[in-house]
């Protein structure tokens, strides 16, 4: 992608497209580095079919030949559309010999991914009293403490799991309404966003209290997504329902955003910070555009323009910026997954 605020037309060597037989929503890059494992880069993609039977496919991406194709035998049925997929964030430090994939939907599920097969490891449910479960909207896997996964649910709770033991570490009533997303900052600190319109930070050392660092300007406007800047934990980003803005927050100065990025022409659906830079963030939305922004140290009076614009030609539902493969951003629209080289 070209570095200009003009719309960049990607050359063929700068993008790779995978056509699925179903609509795609959830996506994840594997954190296994190819230099460690001599294998192609892996991605997981989840179907978005409005019925019980859905699928997750593992794709292999060969950067030399720019091919992206499903891996035989690495595909499995998933109950309901997965709301999120994530591979183990630090498999080498945890001495994992296989990839571990997590998925959320009706429950939190962990899967053992080898070169030739996928086997279920855990199905984690905190509901002891009923056959019904409150759907999980999202989850985040703690990079600093990889035994921890935090899930968010429509039942107003966030649940912290010890996935090595398969048990609940703690469950918190996090908000007044549905919780739509969760993100870890440190080993014991996470934040969440909700239909109640607030961003709240929780510290597991003091479970009775949370800090509200932002509330929607219009009461009860839901906040849909949250991204915590892993390169500079002072900053996070959130998006509001039916809004073309990305709200950038500094947790040192609650209530007032440090920037609002408002160059999308329609609602924003997804945000992802650059894994290698504290000042770059990518956003995508219903206008079919993926925008890369460079945040200035001081925002000017006329707002901030994106440094790069990419048009997909259809509403973009999801983006992922690979931590292990920082040159590539994945976007999902319709039944396509597209990798963009940045």
């Amino acid at each position: 992608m070209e570095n200009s605020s003009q719309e960049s037309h990607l050359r063929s060597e700068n993008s790779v497209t995978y056509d699925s037989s179903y609509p795609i929503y959830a996506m994840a890059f594997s954190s296994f580095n190819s230099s460690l494992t001599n294998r192609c880069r892996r991605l997981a993609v989840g179907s978005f079919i409005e019925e019980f039977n859905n699928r997750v496919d593992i794709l292999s991406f060969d950067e030399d030949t720019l091919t992206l194709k499903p891996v035989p035998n690495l595909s499995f049925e998933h109950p309901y559309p997965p709301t999120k997929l994530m591979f183990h964030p630090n498999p080498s430090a945890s001495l994992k010999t296989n990839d571990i994939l997590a998925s959320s939907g009706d429950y939190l599920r962990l899967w053992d991914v080898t070169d030739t097969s996928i086997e279920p490891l855990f199905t984690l449910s905190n509901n002891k009293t009923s056959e019904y479960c409150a759907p999980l909207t999202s989850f985040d896997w703690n990079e600093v403490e990889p035994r921890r996964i935090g899930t968010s649910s429509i039942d107003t709770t966030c649940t912290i799991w010890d996935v090595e033991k398969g048990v609940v570490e703690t469950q918190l009533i996090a908000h007044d309404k549905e919780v739509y997303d969760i993100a870890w900052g440190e080993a014991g600190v996470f934040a969440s966003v909700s239909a109640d319109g607030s961003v709240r930070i929780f510290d597991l050392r003091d479970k009775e209290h949370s800090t509200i660092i932002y509330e929607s300007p219009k009461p009860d406007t839901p906040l849909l997504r949250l991204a915590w800047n892993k390169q500079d934990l002072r900053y996070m980003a959130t998006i509001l329902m039916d809004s073309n803005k990305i709200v950038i927050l500094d947790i040192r100065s609650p209530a007032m955003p440090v920037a609002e990025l408002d160059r999308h022409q329609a609602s924003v659906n997804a945000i992802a910070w650059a894994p290698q830079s504290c000042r770059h963030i990518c956003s995508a939305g219903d206008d079919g555009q993926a925008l890369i922004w460079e945040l200035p140290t001081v925002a000017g009076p006329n707002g901030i323009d994106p440094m790069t614009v990419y048009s997909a030609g259809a509403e973009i539902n999801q983006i992922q910026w690979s931590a292990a493969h920082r040159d590539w951003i994945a976007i999902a629209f319709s039944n396509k997954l597209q990798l963009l080289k940045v």
Side-chain angles (χ1 to χ4, degrees), residues 27-323:
M27 303 184 297
F29 280 95
S30 169
S31 304
F32 261 115
N33 207 318
S34 49
S35 61
L36 297 175
T37 57
N38 296 320
R39 68 180 82 180
C40 291
R41 301 154 194 260
R42 277 180 174 170
L43 297 93
V45 294
S47 65
F48 190 86
I49 306 166
E50 293 188 38
E51 55 188 54
F52 180 78
N53 293 321
N54 276 259
R55 294 200 68 74
V56 173
D57 292 323
I58 306 296
L59 309 180
S60 170
F61 173 49
D62 188 324
E63 198 171 0
D64 295 331
T65 60
L66 290 183
T67 52
L68 186 58
K69 53 183 188 248
V71 182
N73 304 322
L74 297 192
S75 176
F76 58 96
E77 292 192 349
H78 192 278
Y80 303 104
T83 53
K84 187 167 183 178
L85 296 168
M86 237 183 134
F87 282 98
H88 192 294
N90 199 352
S92 54
S94 302
L95 302 176
K96 302 290 184 190
T97 53
N98 296 332
D99 268 348
I100 308 292
L101 178 68
S103 66
S104 56
D106 51 352
Y107 301 114
L108 177 67
R109 290 178 162 85
L110 269 69
W111 313 82
D112 186 59
V113 185
T114 72
D115 285 340
T116 56
S117 68
I118 294 183
E119 300 295 336
L121 284 175
F122 288 122
T123 297
L124 301 175
S125 168
N126 196 28
N127 192 343
K128 305 289 189 291
T129 59
S130 168
E131 60 183 298
Y132 301 107
C133 56
L136 301 178
T137 52
S138 188
F139 70 92
D140 195 24
W141 204 324
N142 195 316
E143 289 180 26
V144 185
E145 189 74 81
R147 66 183 176 84
R148 280 181 174 150
I149 288 180
T151 61
S152 55
S153 172
I154 65 168
D155 68 1
T156 76
T157 65
C158 290
T159 304
I160 309 304
W161 290 91
D162 182 327
V163 294
E164 290 181 0
K165 296 177 181 173
V167 298
V168 171
E169 187 175 330
T170 189
Q171 185 174 49
L172 305 168
I173 297 176
H175 289 266
D176 302 326
K177 293 184 177 179
E178 299 96 325
V179 190
Y180 286 139
D181 205 4
I182 182 171
W184 289 101
E186 303 168 43
V189 179
F190 70 89
S192 57
V193 293
S194 163
D196 66 15
S198 66
V199 179
R200 303 188 187 200
I201 296 181
F202 298 83
D203 190 323
L204 294 179
R205 294 166 296 191
D206 180 10
K207 301 186 187 78
E208 300 302 312
H209 301 96
S210 65
T211 304
I212 296 177
I213 62 160
Y214 178 74
E215 292 184 285
S216 301
K218 294 180 185 170
D220 284 342
T221 301
L223 301 177
L224 300 183
R225 289 285 167 256
L226 180 68
W228 205 325
N229 187 332
K230 295 294 195 284
Q231 297 299 313
D232 188 338
L233 291 172
R234 295 172 297 179
Y235 296 104
M236 53 176 70
T238 187
I239 55 177
L240 292 80
M241 180 179 279
D242 298 329
S243 168
N244 72 328
K245 290 182 181 177
I246 302 101
V247 178
I248 308 296
L249 305 171
D250 183 335
I251 64 175
R252 299 166 300 177
S253 54
M256 279 299 294
V258 291
E260 290 187 340
L261 312 177
D262 60 359
R263 297 301 193 253
H264 276 283
Q265 305 300 309
S267 300
V268 180
N269 295 325
I271 43 177
W273 289 98
Q276 75 279 30
S277 160
C278 63
R279 292 177 56 204
H280 293 87
I281 188 169
C282 184
S283 61
D286 280 351
D287 57 1
Q289 294 193 321
L291 307 180
I292 297 179
W293 312 78
E294 181 174 14
L295 301 179
T297 46
V298 179
N302 299 320
I304 301 167
D305 288 317
M307 59 182 280
T308 307
V309 179
Y310 174 68
S311 287
E315 296 174 358
I316 302 174
N317 302 313
Q318 183 69 273
I319 48 176
Q320 295 289 325
W321 200 330
S322 167

Side-chain angles (χ1 to χ4, degrees), residues 5-25:
S5 57
Q6 302 302 309
E7 187 168 313
S8 32
H9 296 280
L10 287 182
R11 298 185 299 274
S12 58
E13 65 265 28
N14 281 353
S15 71
V16 189
T17 304
Y18 168 72
D19 284 286
S20 173
S21 54
Y22 44 71
I24 292 172
Y25 179 68

